[in-house]
Amino acid sequence: MSVLVINCNHWIGYHIVNTLLQHDYLVDGIESDTELDELSMFFGRNSSFSFYNIEDRKRYDTCICVGEHGHLETIDAERVFIINPGKMNDWMDYDTATMIFAAHLYGEWMPMTEKGFYDNQEFIAFQSNDFKENAIYIEDFANGLIQWIQSSNLSSNLEVKSERNNGKVNKENQNSIYIRSSLPLEKRMTALQKHYQLIQRKKNMR
């Protein structure tokens, strides 16, 4: 299966590309002009990854867009998945798209401090109940995404929630998918903080 990932150098796009490559997908990527390109270098040399070339006029089985993309209508794909879409008028007329709304995604390479991160301009503290109940680790989300793109029976809108939130919302909502954490939150946070501190040390050495 061929997959195009739009905004592949976004930290979420980076994890999605890595997960797709680990599952032996052929992946093309479009970089965002507003993101740094350093994350693209990690998979840029993988033989199963290529940067998108509009002149190739390729048709993809699946297109995954992280956030906004101003020219989504120019992409030729059988199915489109848009993760946390931005302005409604950018995507509301795209008939084959599945919108995935996932709050409080977190993981390595995301913009953060030692105390928390911003999600839609709202600061989410790592010690808050909001984070502990609703946060979804990015690799758990990406592995779920692998299953969703293989499914032929999905709603046009999916709300992705943490399993820890299950029971606190209306379970009859068929558009909700609950993600099970593959590791305890405490272990995830220990690894995330170590990664953050390592990146900060490298920045300070430059």
Side-chain angles (χ1 to χ4, degrees), residues 56-166:
D56 291 341
R57 299 183 181 278
K58 291 176 64 174
R59 178 169 178 78
Y60 297 92
D61 297 307
T62 302
C63 172
I64 300 171
C65 180
V66 178
E68 297 182 24
H69 180 63
H71 303 284
L72 191 57
E73 70 279 359
T74 65
I75 303 300
D76 189 3
E78 185 173 340
R79 302 180 73 191
V80 176
F81 294 81
I82 306 178
I83 300 169
N84 291 339
K87 299 177 181 177
M88 182 175 293
N89 58 2
D90 287 337
W91 49 263
M92 62 184 301
D93 294 328
Y94 206 87
D95 296 333
T96 61
T98 294
M99 310 300 160
I100 300 177
F101 301 91
H104 300 356
L105 293 177
Y106 76 99
E108 290 77 9
W109 300 108
M110 73 174 185
M112 59 175 278
T113 69
E114 290 186 352
K115 295 184 178 182
F117 65 102
Y118 282 91
D119 187 4
N120 286 329
Q121 300 181 341
E122 177 186 1
F123 186 75
I124 310 298
F126 292 132
Q127 296 300 319
S128 67
N129 289 333
D130 187 9
F131 178 79
K132 294 174 182 178
E133 293 176 359
N134 298 304
I136 301 170
Y137 182 59
I138 184 59
E139 290 188 6
D140 293 334
F141 172 83
N143 283 317
L145 182 61
I146 295 293
Q147 300 178 38
W148 306 331
I149 66 176
Q150 295 172 347
S151 174
S152 59
N153 186 25
L154 283 179
S155 168
S156 59
N157 290 278
L158 296 179
E159 289 190 41
V160 182
K161 303 176 182 294
S162 168
E163 182 191 47
R164 296 184 301 278
N165 189 269
N166 200 348

Side-chain angles (χ1 to χ4, degrees), residues 1-30 39-40 42-44 46 48-49 62-68 80-85 98-102 105-110 136-150 160 179:
M1 180 184 290
S2 60
V3 181
L4 174 66
V5 177
I6 299 175
N7 299 332
C8 63
N9 57 331
H10 187 281
W11 76 270
I12 293 175
Y14 161 81
H15 284 279
I16 290 172
V17 170
N18 269 348
T19 302
L20 289 167
L21 293 174
Q22 290 168 7
H23 285 78
D24 299 322
Y25 285 86
L26 296 176
V27 183
D28 284 3
I30 297 178
L39 291 182
S40 304
F42 286 102
F43 44 74
N46 189 303
S48 296
F49 177 85
T62 302
C63 172
I64 300 171
C65 180
V66 178
E68 297 182 24
V80 176
F81 294 81
I82 306 178
I83 300 169
N84 291 339
T98 294
M99 310 300 160
I100 300 177
F101 301 91
L105 293 177
Y106 76 99
E108 290 77 9
W109 300 108
M110 73 174 185
I136 301 170
Y137 182 59
I138 184 59
E139 290 188 6
D140 293 334
F141 172 83
N143 283 317
L145 182 61
I146 295 293
Q147 300 178 38
W148 306 331
I149 66 176
Q150 295 172 347
V160 182
I179 298 291

